[in-house]
Amino acid sequence: MTMLKEIDSRALELTIISAESLSLKGKHFGKKKAYAVVKTQHGDQLATRMDPENGVYPSWNHKLSIHMPMREPFFTLEVRCNNSDDHAIGSVRVPVSDFTAVYFPCNYLHFLSYRLRDRYGERNGIINLSVKVKQQQPTTSTAYSSSPVTAAMGKGQLGGVPVGKQY
C-alpha cells in the first residue's frame, strides 16, 4: 500500500451499500458470494465482505476509508464473484468530480448509483454507494499564526483583511 502525505491527498469515507440485477455470462448466478473492491490508480485496494445470501441483489452496507491523491480523477469499483475463477462481474470508474465540486462542503454525504459494465462493455447491474469527503484537520504552523493578517484580526473574526488597516 502506498503511503501519501495528507496535504497531497483527500480522505474519503465510502459506504458500499448494495448492487442490483447482477448476472454472470448473461445468466443470473443465484447464491454466489459477491463482494465489492475499491481500487485507486496509485495501487490501493479495499474490499467489502462477501454476501452469501442475496445473490443478484447483494447488500454490504460496508464502510471503507481511503486516501486518494488530489490529482487522481477517478477510482474504480468492481463487483466480484467468489467462485473458482474469482472474476469481476462488473466495474465502473467513479469520477471524483461527482462529489468534490467547489459548491459541496466537506463532510457532505453523497448517495450515488452507477451502471456496472462487464469486461465486454455490456451492462451488468447497478452499484449503490455513499461518499463523504472528510475534512482535513488543519495543521498549525508558526508562519501562519504569526502572519500580520491573522495577528491583526480580533477574536471571533472569520478571516480576510480588516478594512482600513495597511500592511
Side-chain angles (χ1 to χ4, degrees):
M1 223 190 217
T2 308
M3 295 301 292
L4 297 170
K5 294 180 193 176
E6 282 188 27
I7 200 161
D8 296 336
S9 67
R10 62 174 60 95
L12 300 180
E13 181 181 283
L14 306 171
T15 302
I16 312 302
I17 300 169
S18 63
E20 308 170 22
S21 304
L22 300 176
S23 65
L24 188 59
K25 295 181 185 175
K27 300 176 184 174
H28 290 294
F29 62 91
K31 298 283 184 186
K32 300 289 185 187
K33 298 175 183 176
Y35 63 99
V37 178
V38 178
K39 296 180 178 182
T40 63
Q41 288 177 292
H42 67 276
D44 285 351
Q45 289 189 34
L46 295 172
T48 66
R49 65 186 178 283
M50 288 184 234
D51 180 2
E53 300 298 318
N54 295 314
V56 298
Y57 293 93
S59 178
W60 303 286
N61 204 30
H62 193 107
K63 192 175 285 189
L64 304 168
S65 294
I66 194 162
H67 282 272
M68 281 190 59
M70 296 295 259
R71 67 188 178 279
E72 283 193 21
F74 63 88
F75 61 86
T76 302
L77 269 173
E78 289 182 354
V79 175
R80 301 185 73 82
C81 179
N82 189 18
N83 58 11
S84 60
D85 58 355
D86 190 35
H87 70 280
I89 298 167
S91 65
V92 63
R93 285 184 173 179
V94 178
V96 173
S97 61
D98 283 1
F99 52 84
T100 59
V102 294
Y103 45 85
F104 293 126
C106 284
N107 295 319
Y108 184 84
L109 186 61
H110 302 265
F111 287 91
L112 306 165
S113 295
Y114 292 95
R115 168 74 62 192
L116 295 168
R117 302 277 178 176
D118 66 14
R119 61 183 168 205
Y120 305 110
E122 298 294 322
R123 294 179 176 186
N124 196 8
I126 294 172
I127 191 159
N128 304 302
L129 67 144
S130 69
V131 181
K132 185 188 295 186
V133 179
K134 300 297 284 184
Q135 184 170 5
Q136 299 287 345
Q137 296 298 324
T139 56
T140 306
S141 76
T142 55
Y144 176 76
S145 61
S146 64
S147 73
V149 173
T150 55
M153 290 189 321
K155 189 174 185 178
Q157 289 183 325
L158 295 177
V161 177
V163 177
K165 300 280 183 176
Q166 299 255 338
Y167 294 102

